[in-house]
Structure formats: C-alpha cells, structure tokens
Amino acid sequence: RTVVASWWDVEDAAGRRFMELFYEGLREGLDRDVAARQARGAMADEGFGRRDRLAFAVVGAVSGPLDGTLEVRGGKGGSWAPYVAVGVVLLIALRRRFRS
C-alpha cells in the first residue's frame, strides 16, 4: 500500500540511514509520513546534506494501521531495515541500467 523511493541517486550511507530512521519510526507506531519527516530531520541533525535527505518520497497510503510485518527478526537487536536499504539501492541501480 505504500512505496518509499528516491527521486534521484543518493549516497549509499544516506539511503541506509534514511531507511534505518524511517523503520525505527514505524516500529514506534508513527504514521509513514511522520516517520519520513522525522527521519529527514534526524538526518539534518546528523549533518547529511539537503540533497541526500530530501530525495525520499512516501507514495500511497501514508497513515493507518500496518500489517504487523515490522517485527524485529533475527537474533537479539536484529533489524531488517538494512535489507530494505539494500533493496532501495538495487532499485536505483536498475533504474540507472535501464535509463536510455
């Protein structure tokens, strides 16, 4: 119901950090648009440039209940947010490859 994508290429560290902060907000129960806004703010506080932190858009359902897929997986302290970040990076790479 919701897609988070970047409007343009961003540094890997910025993509990873945005996703970590975004999913942290979701796990805390924030709506998707609020989680994205807070992630951008936290990135600003951490010194990320405007280009990197403003690249991300939340499209589709931005509020409402989630289906429970944000449970922490793996061992103690495990998180699947890095895997999502890798997915975003792969989508960016595919977009680059098929641009012509």
Side-chain angles (χ1 to χ4, degrees):
R1 297 184 314 156
T2 306
V3 173
V4 177
S6 67
W7 291 102
W8 50 80
D9 296 338
V10 295
E11 295 294 324
D12 291 346
R16 177 186 173 111
R17 188 61 180 145
F18 179 85
M19 289 300 174
E20 289 171 344
L21 293 165
F22 176 72
Y23 280 97
E24 182 179 304
L26 293 181
R27 282 191 297 275
E28 292 172 2
L30 299 176
D31 283 338
R32 285 148 274 195
D33 57 340
V34 175
R37 188 169 43 252
Q38 285 192 1
R40 288 184 201 104
M43 289 178 71
D45 294 343
E46 293 174 7
F48 285 92
R50 288 178 53 99
R51 183 181 191 287
D52 285 333
R53 68 180 190 267
L54 298 179
F56 299 96
V58 179
V59 181
V62 296
S63 63
L66 296 171
D67 63 6
T69 59
L70 295 177
E71 297 172 9
V72 175
R73 297 170 190 206
K76 183 178 180 182
S79 172
W80 58 276
Y83 300 107
V84 174
V86 169
V88 169
V89 171
L90 289 174
L91 288 173
I92 292 168
L94 286 171
R95 188 174 69 194
R96 282 184 188 168
R97 178 179 169 94
F98 292 108
R99 234 186 244 168
S100 292

